[in-house]
Amino acid sequence: MSTVHEVRLPSPIPPALLGDVRGKLAYVAEDVTSCEVSPQLDRITFRLKETPSLAADVVSQRILTIVGKMCGSYRGDAACTIVSHLDRSVPFRDDPHGPLASAGEILEYGPGRFGLGPLPLRLIELFESRFRELARTFDARPHQFPALIGARTLERCQYLRSFPHALTLVTHLREDLDAIQAFARDAAWADGGLRCDWSHLSPFQVLLSSAVCFHWYAWLADSRQPTPRAITATGKCFRYEASNMGGLERLWDFTMREIVFAGPAQHVLDARERAIVGARRLLDEWGLAYEISSATDPFFIDNFAQQTTIQSAFALKFEVRALLPYKAPATLAVASFNYHQNLFGRAFEIRDGGGAPIHTSCVGFGLERMAFAFLAQFGLDPDRWPEAVREGVDAR
Amino acid sequence: MESLARPEIESRVRDVIARTFHIDARAGGRDPRMGEPREWDSMGHMDLIVNLETEFSCRIPTHTIGVLTSVSEIVEFVASLPRKHA
């Protein structure tokens, strides 16, 4: 039987950080089956599974560590909203997961892993074609990148340090006849995982990529870029999110269309601004209820306070958040507009004509989330969709 | 309330910048600003902010942090603080 325990916090969690803290509580310990923050934000109740390997006071201390690191140096919210159309009238109110599953339009293979049928795919193809058109207005050259990304590349991006909880590590069997034969003989599914001799596995040379743009920075590494450049690519992205993964809202494995800019600071900032204008035009055409507001990335706890403060202070990230009517006022991030300063220019030794590290920005559209948010607002019946979307889908 | 005298503020600001980035902030040439020296990047900026808060016994809000990217901007900000931040 599970046991319930309570942690009293030294001070309440700032309301603006509640979502971030909740997200990180999923990583406290495998023995924890649930974690809930009290309405006053000053206590956290957690449930430990039967015969846990960790004592309750160890788990309590871990929770205090998470909250302390994330909230201890909180400086106040600097959120800003560029535009809000969250009050836009939309005709659908239900959770679309059930209808989509009943209609054979989605299948959940496991947490964060979904198959999609023709209806969501038609929407994705429409949205994707319009995002490609947007990319063409920047003369962004089309590229294709692998799903695998070198561990060294992610190390240079500081991704390993900033987002360790989100990594999906890749291995293969070592080139060793005995190891391969032993694996073929002994490997078996047991207790929710594939059991095998770990000594037969290779070191982690690659991971599943968490973003599209990192590949391009690695492509440009150790080069001079005297003139601004832009590329666009669609790619599979992988971000493990533990128990936070739920339905089509938060996938482990998703698809992103990115437009990436490199050049002087003002150039990439202007490009990001133009991309926001272009995205707004599309979202308005499709009739979505959304807002565009400042945001921060889900850094892990050690870097969280400092990195999110930097992002907020320098307006480095904006997100499109689409309304989810079935859990209003909740919203879902479906796109982001990011300015990285010269972080990647320095990390990958990419320099301008004068030898200074280049600046970069990127725009990312989450395609599954776009389709899901649309279906959550307009339902599965195309007759209830805005004309621009219905005709766009029919024309394809 | 009366503010600190600007020359004193500027002197202390330059000292904090010098300590943070291990440079001579009074040397000739261009004034230090974010990006120059190289160590004054966004991460270094957060170290500078913490050191400024200690020096002037204040709390710098998030929306102000992004503005304090040069000696003159920092001096302007500190001069606007109430006198207790001496």
Side-chain angles (χ1 to χ4, degrees), chain A residues 81-368:
Chain A
T81 298
I82 294 176
V83 61
S84 182
H85 293 302
L86 289 175
D87 58 355
R88 195 169 263 168
S89 174
V90 291
F92 199 68
R93 288 278 178 274
D94 298 334
D95 182 344
H97 283 101
L100 282 167
S102 300
E105 294 286 356
I106 59 170
L107 179 71
E108 183 175 13
Y109 292 102
R113 296 185 294 122
F114 273 78
L116 302 181
L119 184 71
L121 267 189
R122 287 163 70 198
L123 284 170
I124 284 175
E125 286 169 5
L126 169 66
F127 297 151
E128 166 65 334
S129 70
R130 302 302 302 276
F131 295 144
R132 278 200 307 271
E133 284 174 17
L134 178 62
R136 277 196 287 274
T137 66
F138 294 97
D139 293 325
R141 300 182 66 194
H143 280 58
Q144 179 173 299
F145 302 116
L148 296 172
I149 192 164
R152 174 68 182 128
T153 297
L154 288 185
E155 184 186 42
R156 288 180 83 169
C157 294
Q158 300 178 32
Y159 197 88
L160 304 180
R161 200 172 299 280
S162 296
F163 303 95
H165 56 299
L167 299 174
T168 307
L169 302 153
V170 175
T171 183
H172 58 81
L173 291 170
R174 290 169 31 230
E175 292 82 352
D176 181 296
L177 182 62
D178 289 349
I180 296 169
Q181 287 183 312
F183 181 89
R185 185 181 62 241
D186 301 331
W189 179 264
D191 301 328
L194 192 61
R195 299 292 163 181
C196 66
D197 184 341
W198 283 49
S199 69
H200 295 160
L201 303 180
S202 72
F204 300 114
Q205 297 163 321
V206 296
L207 295 89
L208 290 175
S209 188
S210 50
V212 175
C213 59
F214 297 156
H215 292 286
W216 193 44
Y217 309 139
W219 187 311
L220 298 180
D222 306 310
S223 71
R224 291 269 179 150
Q225 301 296 329
T227 55
R229 295 185 61 180
I231 65 114
T232 186
T234 292
K236 277 287 190 181
C237 300
F238 303 83
R239 296 178 191 173
Y240 181 72
E241 301 210 36
S243 58
N244 299 318
M245 294 183 293
L248 290 165
E249 289 179 35
R250 201 168 287 277
L251 296 173
W252 184 353
D253 164 350
F254 60 96
T255 318
M256 190 150 60
R257 161 65 62 181
E258 283 199 40
I259 312 170
V260 196
F261 308 101
Q266 198 55 53
H267 173 83
V268 301
L269 279 166
D270 289 346
R272 183 178 73 158
E273 191 64 34
R274 281 176 54 206
I276 290 174
V277 172
R280 281 179 62 177
R281 197 175 300 126
L282 292 174
L283 297 166
D284 291 339
E285 179 184 322
W286 298 331
L288 281 160
Y290 71 96
E291 71 173 14
I292 300 179
S293 52
S294 56
T296 57
D297 282 313
F299 296 96
F300 202 58
I301 60 171
D302 292 311
N303 292 343
F304 178 86
Q306 189 174 41
Q307 296 279 24
T308 56
T309 300
I310 291 169
Q311 282 192 317
S312 296
F314 292 98
L316 301 185
K317 187 179 188 74
F318 292 93
E319 281 180 344
V320 176
R321 301 199 65 90
L323 180 70
L324 294 180
Y326 70 93
K327 51 164 63 172
T331 57
L332 179 68
V334 297
S336 67
F337 309 91
N338 309 283
Y339 170 46
H340 317 112
Q341 299 172 312
N342 62 3
L343 173 71
F344 295 118
R346 292 196 301 166
F348 289 93
E349 293 291 334
I350 312 166
R351 300 187 175 277
D352 63 19
I358 60 157
H359 289 239
T360 59
S361 63
C362 73
V363 181
F365 298 99
L367 299 182
E368 291 88 350

